[in-house]
Amino acid sequence: MADLHRPHEIHRSPIKLAIPSFLILGAVGACLFAAWKIMEKPGGKEAMTAFWVVLGIAAAFVLLFLIRILPQWLAIGEPALILSKQGIAIRGKDPMAWSAIVGNTWRSESHNGIPTGATIELQGVQGLVTCGAFTLKCSAAEYVRLCDLYRQAAAQERVAAAGPAADSEPDRVVFPGRATAPDGIGEYPLRCRVPAMAFLLVLGGLALAGCFAMVIVQSLAPPDGSFGNSGFANKSGGAFFDIAYPYALAVAGLAIAACGARATWAWLSHPKSVVIGEQRLRYGPRSIPYAAVASLDAGRGAVRLILRDSSRITLPRAIWADGEIWTELLSRRTHSHLFDAAWQALGKGEKVDFGPSLDLDSRSLRIRGRPISLDAITDLHVQSGAMDEVQYRTLRVRTAHGEHAIDERKIRNAPLFLALIGALLEPSQGGKR
């Protein structure tokens, strides 16, 4: 339990800092070793081109280390941020009082399931303040817990000092997994952001693969210019590592590029103007009424809309900032149309799917192929929690014979499912609420 009378300092973790340091400096060492191997082999203009390309990649990694990692090592003894009842103070930036914070989000980033970074974003009345969180000696769940404790302690002091009216201010702080869209908003334009890390992965990976492809071609070509049976295996005195390393590094370059390819392609191929209006979604030049939306799937990496004409629209979170807020806002504005359509389908005896492992009809619920009669359900609730620094919610369905659990992230349009099954389980309210 934190001592709320004293500020809580959060420092950088030497272990977490050592991991990116090892990866970046290891990449520098690999590039320098590759450059040395290239210089060892006789070659012409192609070999020199490959040599300078590899050195350029090494220089880019050194620059990345100097800009992103070294300053954190130099300030390892100082707190990166301080939490107190007065607010949050980020090193090198002006402190922000709790009353001035309208958004507080720990945003984790990953590419193809590989974590690449995390950032704390504080949205204040005068702008956005950020703090790199990937190397903090603190998890997302712990950060949320501490913020809750200090914010509540500050509110209690305010009530004690000025009376109950001082606590009438609405809770507007946005936390991971509990983001709320602003009330009373009309049009909400999505803020496009450039996936810089994805671009670096693609460019660096392609450069690495390209330079070693040139090394392979130059090594395979015999002096007379014909390819025949020549190759690394025919070079006298060549050890296995000397034969295999260009191929391995070329494949590694392609794998690195693949990690950022999806976000890069999404940024290049999607329109840069998307506005969530009150009655319709403006997606580039298209204007889509919410009544035309047949399904909404708020998956982990993107929000996917299936329209009634069977066309699809994908909104990747990698290129649109504040994903939690606009996802909830879009879900809220399509909800009534989706609910009415699904309720009519249930009334006709049809089945409504909510993903590969969950569907619902007017009499039963089916989880992973196992039917459960609605009359047999004794309790249904959503449980929140955190694991491995990731917030999650679990739907728990209890019957007389046991309990069934399903991750809410695997439910297609979970708010619609909860509304439908809640209406079915409450016949006293006319079956529909």
Side-chain angles (χ1 to χ4, degrees):
M1 182 68 180
D3 183 1
L4 302 182
H5 297 288
R6 300 175 56 187
H8 182 85
E9 298 181 347
I10 300 178
H11 293 256
R12 300 285 177 185
S13 169
I15 297 177
K16 291 183 178 180
L17 270 176
I19 295 174
S21 300
F22 174 78
L23 293 175
I24 294 175
L25 295 180
V28 172
C31 290
L32 294 178
F33 178 79
W36 171 53
K37 284 293 185 179
I38 292 172
M39 289 301 296
E40 275 191 338
K41 297 182 179 293
K45 183 178 179 181
E46 293 83 0
M48 289 304 300
T49 301
F51 173 78
W52 287 112
V53 168
V54 174
L55 282 187
I57 296 174
F61 279 119
V62 170
L63 187 62
L64 177 65
F65 179 81
L66 294 177
I67 294 176
R68 299 296 300 271
I69 306 299
L70 185 59
Q72 298 182 38
W73 277 116
L74 295 178
I76 194 70
E78 303 177 15
L81 69 156
I82 301 175
L83 305 179
S84 67
K85 288 188 287 188
Q86 285 69 44
I88 302 178
I90 297 177
R91 182 177 176 273
K93 300 176 183 178
D94 294 334
M96 296 183 67
W98 292 114
S99 59
I101 298 175
V102 297
N104 183 0
T105 305
W106 179 300
R107 191 180 307 281
S108 299
E109 298 179 1
S110 63
H111 294 281
N112 294 338
I114 302 174
T116 57
T119 304
I120 293 174
E121 295 183 354
L122 298 179
Q123 182 66 52
V125 293
Q126 296 182 348
L128 183 70
V129 178
T130 62
C131 173
F134 193 57
T135 58
L136 288 180
K137 195 184 295 183
C138 177
S139 66
E142 178 68 7
Y143 173 76
V144 171
R145 187 185 70 85
L146 290 171
C147 285
D148 276 338
L149 290 175
Y150 278 108
R151 181 169 53 85
Q152 292 169 6
Q156 291 172 0
E157 280 196 355
R158 189 167 64 247
V159 171
D167 198 39
S168 60
E169 178 183 338
D171 184 4
R172 299 176 298 169
V173 180
V174 179
F175 289 103
R178 291 185 286 160
T180 56
D183 292 323
I185 190 171
E187 292 191 341
Y188 189 90
L190 271 61
R191 181 165 56 92
C192 185
R193 59 182 179 185
V194 179
M197 178 61 70
F199 281 158
L200 289 176
L201 290 173
V202 171
L203 294 177
L206 291 179
L208 185 65
C211 75
F212 282 103
M214 288 191 295
V215 173
I216 293 171
V217 171
Q218 189 262 342
S219 302
L220 288 174
D224 61 0
S226 62
F227 282 84
N229 294 321
S230 62
F232 282 103
N234 293 333
K235 304 293 183 183
S236 59
F240 174 78
F241 185 78
D242 294 331
I243 298 172
Y245 87 87
Y247 294 97
L249 291 177
V251 172
L254 293 176
I256 292 172
C259 290
R262 181 179 299 178
T264 302
W265 174 249
W267 188 85
L268 293 174
S269 60
H270 286 71
K272 303 302 181 289
S273 174
V274 176
V275 179
I276 301 177
E278 295 187 48
Q279 302 298 330
R280 59 187 62 241
L281 172 70
R282 296 207 301 272
Y283 182 75
R286 300 178 62 182
S287 181
I288 304 163
Y290 295 132
V293 178
S295 175
L296 183 148
D297 181 12
R300 300 185 184 183
V303 174
R304 298 171 180 85
L305 301 175
I306 301 177
L307 306 184
R308 301 197 183 279
D309 60 3
S310 299
S311 61
R312 296 172 179 263
I313 291 178
T314 302
L315 299 174
R317 293 191 179 92
I319 64 174
W320 301 110
D322 304 320
E324 296 90 345
I325 294 178
W326 61 257
T327 297
E328 184 195 339
L329 183 61
L330 185 59
S331 176
R332 185 188 302 173
R333 292 186 174 177
T334 57
H335 178 80
S336 61
H337 303 285
L338 295 174
F339 185 94
D340 291 340
W343 189 260
Q344 292 176 10
L346 292 176
K348 297 176 183 178
E350 299 176 2
K351 181 179 64 175
V352 181
D353 292 325
F354 292 94
S357 59
L358 185 68
D359 59 65
L360 177 70
D361 61 38
S362 60
R363 296 180 178 274
S364 64
L365 168 68
R366 188 179 298 270
I367 300 178
R368 302 182 189 92
R370 175 180 294 180
I372 302 174
S373 173
L374 295 182
D375 296 333
I377 296 177
T378 59
D379 180 62
L380 184 146
H381 68 277
V382 177
Q383 180 182 20
S384 300
M387 180 178 292
D388 296 331
E389 303 186 10
V390 176
Q391 300 287 323
Y392 68 90
R393 300 210 315 168
T394 303
L395 173 67
R396 297 193 175 276
V397 181
R398 186 174 299 162
T399 67
H401 302 289
E403 185 177 87
H404 306 268
I406 183 169
D407 191 336
E408 188 187 45
R409 294 170 295 183
K410 298 180 180 179
I411 303 176
R412 183 186 303 138
N413 200 346
L416 175 61
F417 170 78
L418 293 174
L420 283 173
I421 195 170
L424 290 171
L425 292 175
E426 295 182 9
S428 62
Q429 298 191 15
K432 180 179 178 180
R433 55 180 176 178

